[in-house]
Amino acid sequence: DKTVSSENIEAINKMLDEGYYLAYTTGRPLNGAKKLIDKLKLPKKNCFLLCFQGCVVYDLEREVVVNAHPMDKEDMLQLVKELHKRDYYIEVFGQDKFYCFAYTEATKRYSGLADEDYEVISGYDVLKNQPIYKVMAIDFENKEPLDQLREEAQAGVYPFDSFFSSS
């Protein structure tokens, strides 16, 4: 239900008061994750936010990115072009927003659900000039093409790690 109990907040604060550090981890983009931390009223002192499965490390207390590892540009472009060629709906995530090639129901659904900014783009040039941390191929109606993509990724066809979700 996206809530944190008062008992858990109390335990977190006790741990932090004792000098420990805490890292909240998520696959979410940085902006959406920061909004969630604020919404849940989670502590920020001595706390870090690991976004995009750890590709971005953000110091919540100092409000600064302390480490970032974007995708390799050539690998990312190869993946995006292949997904685009297959006519998948794609979201490509930079640090501040995601990029998509068309506004669809999926765009509306994800941007609302994750509270993320987005930009509809017509080509790959924008992606060449941005650090990119995550690429998502989405199909809410037909799971088989994504299953095929997962099999190809697991077989090493693409130079990336993969994570698939059915939700």
Side-chain angles (χ1 to χ4, degrees):
D1 66 354
K2 305 234 189 293
T3 63
V4 179
S5 70
S6 58
E7 293 86 2
N8 283 339
I9 295 288
E10 186 177 312
I12 291 169
N13 282 322
K14 181 178 182 206
M15 180 192 77
L16 295 170
D17 288 344
E18 291 176 6
Y20 291 94
Y21 291 87
L22 177 65
Y24 306 107
T25 62
T26 181
R28 290 175 182 251
L30 180 58
N31 285 341
K34 288 190 311 187
K35 290 175 188 175
L36 184 59
I37 295 292
D38 289 341
K39 178 181 174 191
L40 296 174
K41 297 179 174 49
L42 291 171
K44 295 181 181 180
K45 184 178 184 212
N46 291 341
C47 293
F48 296 86
L49 186 53
L50 282 63
C51 299
F52 299 115
Q53 278 79 24
C55 290
V56 173
V57 179
Y58 182 80
D59 184 324
L60 284 161
E61 185 176 11
R62 294 184 303 149
E63 298 183 340
V64 63
V65 173
V66 293
N67 204 338
H69 294 282
M71 296 175 74
D72 177 84
K73 289 284 182 213
E74 294 304 316
D75 292 346
M76 177 272 301
L77 287 169
Q78 174 191 353
L79 172 62
V80 170
K81 288 175 181 179
E82 180 64 26
L83 295 173
H84 203 216
K85 181 174 82 176
R86 293 183 186 202
D87 206 29
Y88 286 112
Y89 171 74
I90 311 163
E91 292 179 354
V92 181
F93 291 82
Q95 193 162 300
D96 299 322
K97 61 183 159 185
F98 71 86
Y99 303 91
C100 56
F101 293 93
Y103 181 84
T104 68
E105 191 60 36
T107 314
K108 181 179 176 183
R109 184 173 172 181
Y110 185 82
S111 64
L113 177 70
D115 193 20
E116 287 296 327
D117 294 329
Y118 66 91
E119 180 180 334
V120 177
I121 59 175
S122 60
Y124 305 110
D125 287 342
V126 169
L127 303 178
K128 293 176 184 176
N129 300 316
Q130 302 293 325
I132 300 299
Y133 297 95
K134 177 172 148 178
V135 175
M136 285 193 337
I138 301 171
D139 192 330
F140 294 114
E141 306 299 323
N142 185 4
K143 186 179 165 204
E144 287 77 25
L146 293 177
D147 285 338
Q148 179 184 348
L149 180 64
R150 177 193 344 230
E151 290 170 14
E152 291 171 9
Q154 290 172 340
V157 173
Y158 304 105
F160 63 86
D161 293 328
S162 62
F163 174 83
F164 283 79
S165 172
S166 59
S167 54

